[in-house]
Amino acid sequence: MSRPSVPASLKRRLFEEAGYRYAIPTCRATSALQMEHIEDWAKVQKHEFENMIVLCANCHARVTTGEIRKDAVRAYKRNLAIINGRYSLYEYRLMEAFYTKMREHPGEPLQAQVAENDYLHIKGMVDDGLLVLRRTPGGMWSFGLPISPMQALLTEAGKKLINSFFNGRDIEN
Ligand SMILES: [Zn+2]
């Protein structure tokens, strides 16, 4: 049986699910995004949303060899809907930066400076208790408005979510 091409609507849905990025957030590839079957095509013989994910060729090879486990790939897929649906792209980038810092400089404080008007970019994480905002006491004011940056500190819940997301474990359980 020859392999039919992936229908355009399914392709769009998969790319939207992944936010037009690789589904595995630790992937640093710069090659083209490609759609892969989680259970091998040879076994399933059909293109189904639930069994497909956007990966780079290298990650796909690591899934095939078992270096990246299939249950982790499924968790990455489940997490995508939550991460891309609930949080802004700014928050996604912040999670990436925090994850990198946790790995490369463990023990260092996990915080970001947030300008007053940027609060809305991180509101999803603040509302979910992943970040807490601290205002610098006696900061600068201009025309009655605070202009000093606030500190956004990552909470324990925030660390847990980021570690789960980047390591292929379900973030909601
Ligand atoms: Zn990859």
Side-chain angles (χ1 to χ4, degrees):
M1 180 178 140
S2 72
R3 179 168 162 167
S5 58
V6 178
S9 59
L10 176 55
K11 179 178 178 181
R12 192 166 55 245
R13 216 177 140 200
L14 286 164
F15 277 53
E16 282 173 0
E17 174 189 56
Y20 290 81
R21 292 181 291 266
Y22 302 110
I24 296 182
T26 49
C27 178
R28 290 286 173 268
T30 52
S31 55
L33 297 170
Q34 36 185 81
M35 295 167 289
E36 302 294 355
H37 297 80
I38 301 172
E39 273 313 328
D40 293 338
W41 165 265
K43 191 169 155 190
V44 296
Q45 303 272 314
K46 55 188 167 189
H47 300 309
E48 278 185 318
F49 178 76
E50 289 68 26
N51 187 45
M52 294 179 75
I53 191 164
V54 173
L55 296 177
C56 79
N58 182 46
C59 287
H60 182 235
R62 291 170 69 203
V63 174
T64 305
T65 61
E67 190 190 332
I68 301 175
R69 287 168 37 194
K70 287 189 177 175
D71 58 350
V73 179
R74 291 200 182 85
Y76 282 124
K77 183 176 170 76
R78 285 190 292 271
N79 288 342
L80 284 173
I82 300 166
I83 293 290
N84 293 331
R86 275 192 77 76
Y87 304 111
S88 68
L89 184 56
Y90 185 99
E91 288 169 316
Y92 181 93
R93 301 253 194 270
L94 197 54
M95 288 181 196
E96 266 185 336
F98 280 144
Y99 181 69
T100 302
K101 194 164 184 188
M102 278 191 259
R103 292 192 50 157
E104 293 176 3
H105 306 280
E108 280 191 20
L110 295 162
Q111 59 186 60
Q113 290 210 337
V114 186
E116 198 69 31
N117 291 341
D118 286 340
Y119 164 66
L120 291 176
H121 293 301
I122 56 163
K123 188 172 184 300
M125 288 181 73
V126 173
D127 287 351
D128 287 353
L130 309 179
L131 286 174
V132 287
L133 291 171
R134 295 264 183 280
R135 199 180 291 283
T136 318
M140 295 210 299
W141 292 66
S142 173
F143 298 101
L145 295 170
I147 55 168
S148 296
M150 295 180 285
Q151 301 299 321
L153 311 171
L154 192 67
T155 64
E156 284 305 314
K159 278 181 212 164
K160 183 168 176 280
L161 180 139
I162 290 171
N163 271 317
S164 295
F165 177 47
F166 282 85
N167 289 298
R169 293 189 303 268
D170 278 299
I171 60 178
E172 278 191 352
N173 51 18

